[in-house]
Amino acid sequence: MYLATTGRRDTPVRPRSGGAGRRVPGTVLALGTVSLVTDISSEMVTAVLPLYLVLGLGLSPLQFGFLDGLFNGVAAVVRLLGGYAADRGRGHKRVAGLGYALSALSRLGLLLAVGATAGIAAALATDRVGKGIRTAPRDALITLSSPPETLGRSFGVHRAMDTTGALLGPLAAFALLWATADAYDAVFVVSFCVGLLGVLLLVLYVPGQQPAPPVRPEPRGRKPFEALRDPAFRRILAAASLLGAATIGDAFVYLLLQDRLGLPVSWFPLLPLGAAACYLLLAIPAGRIADRVGRRLPFLYGHLALLGVYATLLAPLGGPALLLLVPVLVLLGVFYATTDGVLMALAGPVLPADGRAGGLAVLQTGQALARLLAAAGFGAAWTLWGPGPALWAALSALLAALAGGWALLPRDPSGTPAPGQPQAQLPERRTA
């Protein structure tokens, strides 16, 4: 459907009439399958890791929190390297495959560490580096293989498949622990095998060919921060970072729920499943709506849903716990469904094809670092003032960030490139 031209970016051809132009590209389905399988592998470990480290090996919650926060910060920065490497060598599939392979090998590292703190830290670092490397090239592949006008749906389908894996992973881990009498090694072995399956699926079913080079090719490999020269991209980055700085994080939402409702500790791991299930149901419809009305408004309205989470947690609700639990988990799912993939669909067409991965990496890193600052600030406010005043401060910050985001985000209602600024599409490999 898309042909390379001699311009800065490739020029699109209108989709053929009929249903063919509306199909989700096979590359997106293949990447969604890889993400589904990989998320089963990673969430199997994520679900049991706190229990393994704190209860099994005796690490304090402070030690575990320090390790987890440190490696999440490392992953955010490594995204820049992954995006730059993918653009420089036009090897999005290769760089993404390296990231998936590193994450799979990290499960084997946990198995071989035999309880040694240094070995566990190295395995966790490998997993976070792998995740950081693969994210931007994978999302760039989605934008390069989808027509601009259907990017929201493509990301919705991918995120829905990814979230399916996030739901199945914890269930598989707890089933294994029940069947093996809490043998954590069994979880690590199965997770490693499932992770390798994800790498194999990527190699076999995700096409690695790049668009044909223009007649007047540009120098290969843009600088890591080349995207910052584009005013529209700078505004998207500023808005996403501003709103990210008012996003306190899921863990605090679940802790606030547990504090308000007095939930048993055994129920705590099930709270993310409720939000994930809502995300799964809404990801594709939210992407389709974003394609129709433009991606700016759904992204902003998604943060209104997060504002609803804060307000519900502050509301003096009485009666059954479900009156608080259900609205919070549903609104949290709405927030992710209308912001995660929608942001990538909003930013992708703004970026040139040969700088797509690097630009998305800059955007993802800016948002991730802003959310880390928000989590740290909310944690400090909770410690100093208590949960109620801290949540009021977060709500006020989010209101201010929404006003700023409304002013900053580009107002193109279609969310697609303006004439003369289209994008390329990877050669499509059809899947059954």
Side-chain angles (χ1 to χ4, degrees), residues 58 97 99 110 137 142 157 160 175 196 203 206 214 243 269 278 283 305 322 357 387 397 424 429:
L110 287 172
I142 295 173
V157 169
L196 283 185
V203 172
V206 176
L243 289 163
C278 184
L322 290 178
R429 175 182 297 178

Side-chain angles (χ1 to χ4, degrees), residues 113-153:
V114 196
T117 304
I120 292 170
L124 290 176
T126 302
D127 177 53
R128 298 303 194 274
V129 168
K131 184 175 182 179
I133 287 175
R134 71 178 183 251
T135 302
R138 180 203 65 202
D139 285 350
L141 280 171
I142 295 173
T143 65
L144 291 169
S145 63
S146 303
E149 67 273 11
T150 63
L151 270 178
R153 180 173 57 177

Side-chain angles (χ1 to χ4, degrees), residues 9 38 91 111 119 214 228 243 263 272-273 298 304-305 313 338 405:
R9 300 174 185 174
T38 302
L111 184 66
L228 294 176
L243 289 163
L263 294 174
L273 298 182
L304 279 178
L313 287 169
T338 53

Side-chain angles (χ1 to χ4, degrees), residues 158-200:
H158 176 269
R159 295 310 197 252
M161 297 177 75
D162 183 89
T163 306
T164 301
L167 283 170
L168 295 176
L171 298 177
F174 284 110
L176 270 175
L177 289 177
W178 176 80
T180 59
D182 294 341
Y184 293 101
D185 289 354
V187 175
F188 299 150
V189 170
V190 174
S191 175
F192 170 66
C193 295
V194 175
L196 283 185
L197 175 61
V199 176
L200 182 62

Side-chain angles (χ1 to χ4, degrees), residues 39-135:
D39 251 34
I40 292 176
S41 170
S42 62
E43 293 300 324
M44 286 177 67
V45 173
T46 301
V48 304
L49 199 59
L51 300 175
Y52 175 64
L53 295 180
V54 176
L55 301 181
L57 301 182
L59 266 68
S60 69
L62 178 62
Q63 290 173 315
F64 172 70
F66 174 77
L67 285 175
D68 189 60
L70 175 64
F71 293 140
N72 278 327
V74 169
V77 176
V78 168
R79 285 175 181 163
L80 296 174
L81 299 178
Y84 176 62
D87 286 334
R88 183 175 179 80
R90 293 180 181 173
H92 299 81
K93 175 182 174 179
R94 184 171 60 252
V95 175
L98 174 62
Y100 282 113
L102 285 174
S103 292
L105 290 173
S106 72
R107 324 291 187 235
L108 191 60
L110 287 172
L111 184 66
L112 298 176
V114 196
T117 304
I120 292 170
L124 290 176
T126 302
D127 177 53
R128 298 303 194 274
V129 168
K131 184 175 182 179
I133 287 175
R134 71 178 183 251
T135 302

